[in-house]
Amino acid sequence: MTVIAKRSKLVTFINVFTVAPENQERLVGLLTQVTEGSVRHAAGFVSSSLHRSLDGTKVTMYAQWRTIEDYEAMRKDPTPAPFLREALTFAKFEPGMYEVVETFEPASG
Amino acid sequence: MTVIAKRSKLVTFINVFTVAPENQERLVGLLTQVTEGSVRHAAGFVSSSLHRSLDGTKVTMYAQWRTIEDYEAMRKDPTPAPFLREALTFAKFEPGMYEVVETFEPASG
């Protein structure tokens, strides 16, 4: 479970991969494998949630880390690197590093 | 607070706006205003969280709706429409409609 909240002091990565629909499942598999086997073991990893676009053309990872430095250390780790390199052979990668500005609840709730 | 969980049956919108850094604050203001005043009052709105990229070039809305039909009804509502049109005069909009595949916890947790 991922909880998004203002003032959490976490750093949020919203990384959007664009793929041909026939490769979406392969990319979901790769990202699942590298997160299960490697990324979630890294220091400072808080949570991540993997999303599949309904039109088949995107896969988006919403990830929370304690600090930017923790994330950068993971990216330099040789274990996940080959998975990410393989993903980039068939997917376009658009990274984003964010802070939460605000969360909104239903007016009725 | 937004909670991301597998098998939630919600539909997730991850909408990425790209802007010149000098317009990021203006876009955050517009999206806050339209969400507070209009979108969160719509039927089927579950939650949304607004994110500001640390490099100033992106604003991303992570939003959960009960159904696609609820979201589409909101997009046809004349109240929020002018805000979104104004945003598109100075921001590029890349929408995405998703389902959650998986969420990952820290290996140690």
Side-chain angles (χ1 to χ4, degrees):
Chain A
M1 194 180 87
T2 297
V3 175
I4 309 176
K6 197 180 163 182
R7 289 191 248 281
S8 67
K9 294 207 174 181
L10 301 173
V11 55
T12 300
F13 295 83
I14 304 175
N15 292 332
V16 179
F17 294 85
T18 307
V19 288
E22 63 269 27
N23 286 325
Q24 192 191 38
E25 201 50 47
R26 180 180 168 203
L27 181 57
V28 164
L30 257 180
L31 293 175
T32 300
Q33 202 183 343
V34 70
T35 305
E36 274 292 354
S38 169
V39 177
R40 75 189 189 93
H41 298 259
F45 173 84
V46 174
S47 157
S48 71
S49 291
L50 188 59
H51 300 73
R52 173 205 329 260
S53 78
L54 303 185
D55 69 0
T57 67
K58 289 193 179 74
V59 176
T60 295
M61 185 67 94
Y62 185 101
Q64 297 169 324
W65 287 77
R66 194 175 46 193
T67 66
I68 296 173
E69 291 72 25
D70 287 325
Y71 177 80
E72 286 174 348
M74 177 278 291
R75 290 298 301 269
K76 283 180 193 141
D77 182 330
T79 314
F83 290 88
L84 299 171
R85 268 201 305 274
E86 184 181 340
L88 296 185
T89 63
F90 65 92
K92 194 174 139 268
F93 176 58
E94 175 80 12
M97 193 187 302
Y98 297 88
E99 63 180 5
V100 177
V101 179
E102 194 60 79
T103 70
F104 303 94
E105 309 289 331
S108 55
Chain B
M1 195 179 85
T2 297
V3 175
I4 309 176
K6 197 180 164 182
R7 288 191 249 282
S8 67
K9 294 206 173 179
L10 300 173
V11 57
T12 299
F13 295 82
I14 305 174
N15 292 333
V16 180
F17 294 85
T18 307
V19 288
E22 62 269 26
N23 287 326
Q24 191 191 37
E25 201 50 47
R26 179 180 168 201
L27 182 57
V28 164
L30 257 180
L31 294 174
T32 300
Q33 201 182 344
V34 71
T35 306
E36 274 291 353
S38 168
V39 177
R40 74 189 190 94
H41 298 259
F45 172 84
V46 174
S47 157
S48 70
S49 291
L50 187 60
H51 301 72
R52 173 208 325 261
S53 77
L54 303 186
D55 70 359
T57 67
K58 290 193 179 73
V59 176
T60 295
M61 185 67 95
Y62 185 101
Q64 297 171 324
W65 288 77
R66 193 175 48 194
T67 67
I68 295 173
E69 292 71 24
D70 288 324
Y71 177 81
E72 286 174 348
M74 178 277 290
R75 289 299 302 269
K76 282 179 194 142
D77 183 328
T79 315
F83 291 88
L84 300 171
R85 268 200 307 274
E86 184 181 341
L88 296 184
T89 62
F90 65 92
K92 196 174 138 266
F93 177 58
E94 176 80 12
M97 193 187 302
Y98 296 87
E99 62 180 5
V100 177
V101 179
E102 193 60 80
T103 69
F104 303 93
E105 310 288 331
S108 56

